[in-house]
Amino acid sequence: MMFHSRHFSINQLAEGIYVLIASEQGGAMSNAGIIDMGGFTLVFDTFNTPQAGRDLREAALHLLAQPIGYVVNSHWHGDHVRGNQCFPGVSIVSSARTRELMQITQPQWLDRMTPLLPQLNEDIAAAAAAAVEAEQDDAARQQLTARHSYLLEIRESIETLIVTYPGVTYGNQLWIHGSKRSGRLFSLGRAHTECDSVLHLAADSMLFAGDAVAVNNHPLLTDGDPHGWLSALETLGNLDTRCVVPGHGPVSDTGSITSMEQYINDLLAICSSYRSLESKPTAAEIPIPEAYRSWDAAAVFQRNLEFLLDRQL
Ligand SMILES: [Zn+2]
């Protein structure tokens, strides 16, 4: 019997290796992994909300009848760490810099969001009412229903979040050994953020890439370093791996590493082509290149350009 959650769907990638793909609606927002190391389970990333984290823990216990030994946070972004509180007594692991950044950003998020609760309640009521009103218009109703359920997930997460930090940190790399398989968790340095971790399961030829790789999704460049990211991708391209699990989007192969490199290089090229112009366009005036028009998170494209144009990168 498969475990069911409104937050994610479960795909088995190999014996004892599962990826949880975020549902479009629900409180996951990013992908996570459940890995049978042999004797204990390793969980890779914990989603955007405590309620999705709770289902993640239950799925791990349901799929593999053994204790959860380690939880990994690939980087500090909320959509990868806000389920941490659902794993009491389990060692949560991240790079040292990721833990520091969580200590700055996670309490800030809660401080910023908590006063917004009354407004959020109004927005939830308004979205519900508008969805009822749009009953004749399928597209509008779907959009409003999606917004309504997104806001409900956010409200629940603000009300229930207990900021929970990794208890174990590492510098360059950390091996985790079970009786069935070994995993190498290592830091890419500055890439998508100031310090991203990936998990390589060499014997399975599998890489859990966190947000160092996104598939059919605009990757967010604004918290990291595009040039560092390019060299990180070169490192990932040299690994022995067939299967790449991205932080966002469907499971892919090494082609996803190449298309991430292409995306970053394309955006750098766009920005440098405007550099010598007297009157520079604003980021909003620059169209998304054809190749990326079907990708999710389209709003991220403009943020990326603003970031690159600002910094002359
Ligand atoms: Zn991220």
Side-chain angles (χ1 to χ4, degrees):
M1 191 194 66
M2 211 49 171
F3 182 89
H4 179 78
S5 170
R6 72 177 188 272
H7 305 293
F8 50 76
S9 59
I10 301 174
N11 291 341
Q12 183 166 15
L13 300 178
E15 199 277 311
I17 304 181
Y18 302 87
V19 60
L20 281 57
I21 300 285
S23 303
E24 233 167 87
Q25 292 172 33
M29 299 278 289
S30 67
N31 300 332
I34 293 174
I35 300 153
D36 177 8
M37 300 299 291
F40 64 90
T41 298
L42 184 152
V43 170
F44 188 86
D45 277 342
T46 66
F47 294 142
N48 193 45
T49 60
Q51 61 269 27
R54 200 165 53 230
D55 278 11
L56 167 62
R57 178 177 175 278
E58 279 173 28
L61 296 173
H62 175 87
L63 293 167
L64 304 167
Q66 62 185 1
I68 299 166
Y70 294 93
V71 168
V72 169
N73 288 150
S74 64
H75 63 293
W76 66 265
H77 284 160
D79 56 332
H80 299 258
V81 307
R82 286 202 199 107
N84 280 2
Q85 72 198 61
C86 304
F87 299 89
V90 179
S91 294
I92 301 176
V93 186
S94 77
S95 69
R97 183 61 184 147
T98 287
R99 185 179 193 278
E100 285 173 5
L101 289 165
M102 282 175 68
Q103 286 182 299
I104 299 165
T105 54
Q106 291 307 302
Q108 275 176 357
W109 183 83
L110 207 50
D111 288 348
R112 199 173 66 241
M113 296 304 279
T114 306
L116 299 180
L117 273 173
Q119 180 62 48
L120 195 55
N121 284 326
E122 280 178 33
D123 293 348
I124 287 168
V132 171
E133 216 148 276
E135 73 177 310
Q136 302 301 335
D137 183 343
D138 279 356
R141 196 185 59 245
Q142 268 169 28
Q143 213 174 26
L144 287 160
T145 309
R147 177 168 164 74
H148 181 246
S149 55
Y150 169 76
L151 294 174
L152 285 177
E153 298 291 352
I154 293 296
R155 178 172 69 185
E156 185 173 347
S157 73
I158 297 168
E159 287 172 341
T160 59
L161 185 73
I162 301 164
V163 173
T164 305
Y165 301 113
V168 178
T169 60
Y170 75 96
N172 294 320
Q173 66 169 3
L174 178 75
W175 281 93
I176 298 177
H177 302 283
S179 61
K180 275 192 186 160
R181 43 175 63 93
S182 292
R184 182 166 76 100
L185 188 66
F186 65 99
S187 163
L188 297 174
R190 295 175 66 84
H192 167 67
T193 63
E194 284 182 37
C195 196
D196 299 278
S197 291
V198 298
L199 177 71
H200 188 218
L201 303 169
D204 299 284
S205 196
M206 204 168 284
L207 177 72
F208 282 81
D211 281 3
V213 178
V215 173
N216 299 338
N217 269 274
H218 288 266
L220 183 69
L221 305 182
T222 62
D223 288 327
D225 169 15
H227 296 288
W229 200 337
L230 286 172
S231 49
L233 289 166
E234 198 180 332
T235 303
L236 296 184
N238 289 330
L239 291 175
D240 170 22
T241 187
R242 283 192 317 271
C243 177
V244 177
V245 179
H248 300 270
V251 174
S252 187
D253 54 23
T254 50
S256 62
I257 298 171
T258 318
S259 75
M260 201 69 355
E261 283 172 337
Q262 185 73 48
Y263 181 93
I264 296 171
N265 279 321
D266 283 352
L267 266 66
L268 288 169
I270 290 170
C271 290
S272 68
S273 74
Y274 290 118
R275 193 147 301 144
S276 53
L277 295 182
E278 289 249 327
S279 73
K280 292 181 180 50
T282 65
E285 288 164 343
I286 302 173
I288 299 179
E290 184 65 42
Y292 311 118
R293 242 167 251 171
S294 65
W295 285 18
D296 285 342
V300 168
F301 177 76
Q302 195 179 319
R303 290 174 64 190
N304 286 339
L305 286 185
E306 277 161 9
F307 172 77
L308 296 176
L309 289 166
D310 257 20
R311 283 167 187 74
Q312 298 283 307
L313 286 161

